[in-house]
């Protein structure tokens, strides 16, 4: 009996030792080991993944450059295609196979809401561009003007049709799933169209204001990847285990420096800086905005006498580009962190697999969505002139007044001008 009791005591002591909690320092060291193993610099397959990622990036860059060369309308079409892919990836996120089979028309309802939101968003932003495009054909002009006038009403009834459709498709024992999908669809529409509407508006203000922010995000992403690839040792944030402080800081410096140089290069092309007032695809030529006219600064005593350049020309827009670079390097990455937390919540690695080495389209657009809104707001706050131009006033007259009202306005303006001439005489 004594032997049995002593052996049981020994076994209980061993079990107690086995169940002993780890000290905080031990837990921290284990966590650090885990973080270090997740770092890109310690990844055994990093060169293979880098080659796949580089190959995909080169193809994307080539396609992107081609679309930029083709012009504003094609860039808008590219944004629409990206939106469709993003919506498809996000729709699939909460879709369950068994429930989807029992609701065969529910996916079509999601796309009905999607295209209704697209019509509403782009109809508001591009209505005057569409009117300016069809001014030569009177019948088409009247038809387009009527569509623009009643665009909000059309979109409202399209949404109501979808709402009634949703109510009529409700099935017993599936209410919770259907309402969850309904709410998820509306969140996707807000996420996708809230930023893309600003993107399209910025495109028609000048491709420069779309291309520069998008390029800075790409540069920041590539620089962060390579700095983390070769030098990354210190984890940055738990949501993204492979992100490092070395990558973040190195990418920030590279992005801000690139912003200043890229603004100088892009600002030299009228094709990129001229705004587009219609939906045509012809070549643009305009008088450059003062933002894109160089200001020359004397180097004076800053350079030796043998130095060939005595002055340097800087575009005013280059100083604004520094603000975009600062935002792209410090704030925009948090869009990526948000996406990482979102994917962790749903226990997925990527939103899709359409781009080898990158994941889905949504994985590439997380930071772009953040800076698209900022670029539009910054342009409207610090760049765009708030004064009404003659073109803007004429556009409002043609869109909102009938022919008789336009004739009355013309006669009244004639009276005013004659009275002023008499007063001056």
């Amino acid at each position: 009996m004594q032997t049995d009791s002593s052996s049981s005591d020994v076994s209980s002591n061993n079990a107690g030792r086995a169940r002993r909690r780890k000290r905080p320092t031990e837990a921290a060291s284990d966590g650090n080991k885990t973080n270090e193993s997740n770092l890109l610099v310690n990844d055994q397959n990093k060169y293979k993944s880098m080659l796949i990622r580089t190959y995909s990036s080169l193809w994307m860059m080539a396609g992107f450059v081609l679309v930029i060369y083709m012009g504003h309308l094609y860039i808008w079409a590219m944004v629409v295609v990206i939106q469709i892919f993003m919506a498809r990836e996000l729709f699939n996120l909460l879709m369950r196979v068994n429930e989807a089979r029992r609701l065969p028309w529910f996916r079509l309802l999601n796309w009905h809401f999607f295209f209704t939101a697209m019509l509403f968003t782009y109809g508001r932003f591009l209505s005057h561009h569409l009117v300016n495009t069809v001014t030569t054909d009177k019948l088409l002009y009247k038809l387009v003007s009527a569509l623009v006038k009643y665009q909000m009403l059309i979109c409202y009834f399209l949404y109501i049709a979808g709402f009634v459709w949703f109510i009529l498709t409700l099935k017993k024992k599936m209410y919770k799933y259907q309402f969850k999908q309904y709410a998820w669809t509306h969140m996707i529409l807000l996420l996708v169209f809230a930023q893309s509407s600003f993107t399209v508006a910025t495109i028609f203000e000048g491709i420069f204001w779309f291309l520069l922010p998008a390029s800075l995000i790409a540069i920041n992403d590539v620089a962060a990847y390579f700095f983390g690839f070769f030098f990354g040792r210190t984890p940055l944030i738990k949501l993204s285990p492979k992100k490092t402080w070395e990558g973040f800081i190195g990418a920030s410096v590279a992005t801000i420096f690139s912003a200043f140089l890229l603004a100088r290069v892009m600002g030299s092309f009228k094709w990129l800086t001229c705004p587009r007032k219609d939906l045509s695809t012809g070549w643009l030529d305009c008088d450059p905005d003062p933002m894109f006219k160089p200001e020359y600064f004397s180097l004076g005593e800053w350079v030796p006498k043998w130095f060939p350049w005595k002055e340097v020309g800087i575009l005013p827009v280059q100083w604004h580009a520094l603000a975009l670079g600062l935002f792209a390097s410090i704030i925009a990455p948090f869009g990526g962190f948000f996406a990482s937390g979102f994917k962790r919540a749903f226990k997925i690695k990527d939103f899709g697999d359409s781009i080898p080495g990158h994941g889905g389209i949504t994985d590439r657009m997380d930071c772009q969505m953040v800076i698209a809104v900022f670029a539009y707001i910054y342009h409207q706050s610090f760049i765009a002139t708030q004064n009404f131009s003659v073109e803007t006033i004429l556009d409002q007259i043609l869109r909102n007044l009938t022919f008789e009202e336009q004739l009355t306005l013309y006669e009244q303006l004639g009276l005013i001008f004659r009275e002023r001439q008499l007063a001056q005489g």
Side-chain angles (χ1 to χ4, degrees):
M1 293 294 291
Q2 292 177 352
T3 306
D4 294 339
S5 61
S6 62
S7 62
S8 62
D9 293 340
V10 172
S11 61
S12 63
N13 291 334
N14 291 335
R17 294 191 188 97
R19 291 193 299 268
R20 181 178 62 85
R21 294 182 178 179
K22 294 183 178 181
R23 296 177 182 176
T25 55
E26 294 175 352
S29 63
D30 290 345
N32 291 334
K33 290 179 180 179
T34 303
N35 290 333
E36 290 177 359
S37 63
N38 289 329
L39 294 178
L40 193 59
V41 73
N42 298 322
D43 190 352
Q44 299 297 325
N45 298 320
K46 64 179 183 178
Y47 289 103
K48 180 180 178 181
S49 62
M50 183 185 71
L51 289 175
I52 297 174
R53 192 182 180 100
T54 303
Y55 184 75
S56 300
S57 300
L58 291 176
W59 274 106
M60 285 192 295
M61 287 174 59
F64 185 72
V65 170
L66 177 62
V67 173
I68 293 297
Y69 176 78
M70 295 175 71
H72 302 70
L73 193 61
Y74 293 95
I75 300 173
W76 174 34
M78 178 187 68
V79 172
V80 171
V81 172
I82 290 173
Q83 284 180 322
I84 293 174
F85 274 94
M86 288 178 62
R88 184 176 67 88
E89 292 172 356
L90 294 172
F91 282 149
N92 291 334
L93 208 56
L94 282 186
M95 189 66 65
R96 298 175 187 172
V97 177
N98 294 331
E99 286 81 351
R101 288 175 181 173
R102 296 176 61 185
L103 299 168
W105 296 101
F106 202 82
R107 175 57 67 90
L108 186 60
L109 178 62
N110 288 340
W111 288 109
H112 170 81
F113 283 123
F114 176 85
F115 286 108
T116 300
M118 180 179 292
L119 179 62
F120 175 78
T121 302
Y122 293 142
R124 289 173 60 85
F125 272 88
L126 300 179
S127 57
H128 66 282
H129 293 83
L130 182 60
V131 172
N132 291 340
T133 306
V134 299
T135 51
T136 55
D137 191 320
K138 291 184 178 180
L139 180 60
L140 188 59
Y141 175 77
K142 290 181 179 179
L143 178 61
V144 171
S145 298
L147 289 175
V148 168
K149 182 177 181 180
Y150 299 109
Q151 176 255 349
M152 189 175 294
L153 183 66
I154 294 171
C155 292
Y156 175 74
F157 277 105
L158 284 174
Y159 179 83
I160 290 298
F163 175 74
V164 173
W165 183 0
F166 169 74
I167 298 299
L168 294 177
T169 56
L170 288 173
K171 286 189 177 182
K172 192 176 181 181
K173 296 183 179 180
M174 299 191 68
Y175 296 148
K176 185 176 181 181
Y177 173 78
Q178 288 182 277
F179 276 100
K180 186 185 295 185
Q181 287 288 328
Y182 185 78
W184 178 241
T185 300
H186 283 69
M187 198 192 89
I188 292 172
L189 298 180
L190 178 64
L191 182 68
V192 172
F193 285 103
Q195 57 83 25
S196 59
S197 58
F198 292 106
T199 302
V200 174
T202 305
I203 290 170
F204 286 88
E205 293 290 343
I207 297 177
F208 176 93
W209 299 106
F210 162 78
L211 181 58
L212 180 63
S215 301
L216 293 180
I217 291 296
I219 290 171
N220 184 263
D221 187 40
V222 172
Y225 179 81
F226 279 101
F227 275 101
F229 187 91
F230 292 106
F231 308 109
R233 300 290 178 184
T234 312
L236 176 63
I237 188 170
K238 292 182 178 180
L239 287 174
S240 298
K242 292 186 178 181
K243 300 290 177 64
T244 62
W245 275 105
E246 290 82 0
F248 183 78
I249 296 173
S252 299
V253 175
T255 303
I256 295 172
F257 183 73
S258 299
F260 193 78
L261 296 181
L262 277 178
R264 185 68 175 87
V265 175
M266 294 179 184
S268 303
F269 296 93
K270 293 183 179 181
W271 173 244
L272 299 178
T273 59
C274 293
R276 171 72 74 180
K277 301 298 183 181
D278 53 26
L279 297 181
S280 63
T281 57
W283 197 260
L284 279 176
D285 188 19
C286 64
D287 183 30
D289 188 271
M291 282 287 171
F292 300 102
K293 294 180 178 179
E295 297 177 349
Y296 292 93
F297 299 90
S298 176
L299 297 178
E301 299 178 354
W302 293 93
V303 294
K305 294 182 178 180
W306 54 264
F307 196 74
W309 296 287
K310 302 302 180 182
E311 60 180 11
V312 60
I314 297 178
L315 302 181
V317 76
Q318 289 182 258
W319 306 115
H320 294 282
L322 292 178
L324 293 174
L326 194 64
F327 187 92
S329 58
I330 296 178
I331 305 299
F334 281 86
F337 301 151
F338 176 84
S340 297
F342 196 85
K343 288 183 285 188
R344 281 177 173 265
F346 286 90
K347 298 180 180 179
I348 57 173
K349 181 181 179 182
D350 297 310
F351 286 103
D353 56 359
S354 53
I355 308 176
H358 294 268
I361 296 293
T362 311
D363 294 286
R364 292 296 90 213
M365 293 296 112
D366 44 16
C367 299
Q368 295 285 358
M369 291 190 294
V370 178
I371 200 170
V373 180
F374 174 75
Y376 176 80
I377 294 174
Y378 187 90
H379 180 272
Q380 294 299 311
S381 301
F382 300 105
I383 307 298
T385 56
Q386 302 300 323
N387 298 327
F388 288 103
S389 64
V390 175
E391 292 181 355
T392 304
I393 297 173
L394 286 176
D395 175 63
Q396 293 295 325
I397 292 172
L398 293 174
R399 285 176 53 190
N400 299 307
L401 298 182
T402 63
F403 178 76
E404 291 76 13
E405 291 172 336
Q406 294 174 18
L407 187 59
T408 302
L409 177 63
Y410 173 77
E411 292 173 352
Q412 291 179 353
L413 285 174
L415 291 174
I416 293 173
F417 292 149
R418 282 194 292 271
E419 289 177 359
R420 288 186 177 179
Q421 286 178 348
L422 291 174
Q424 291 177 356

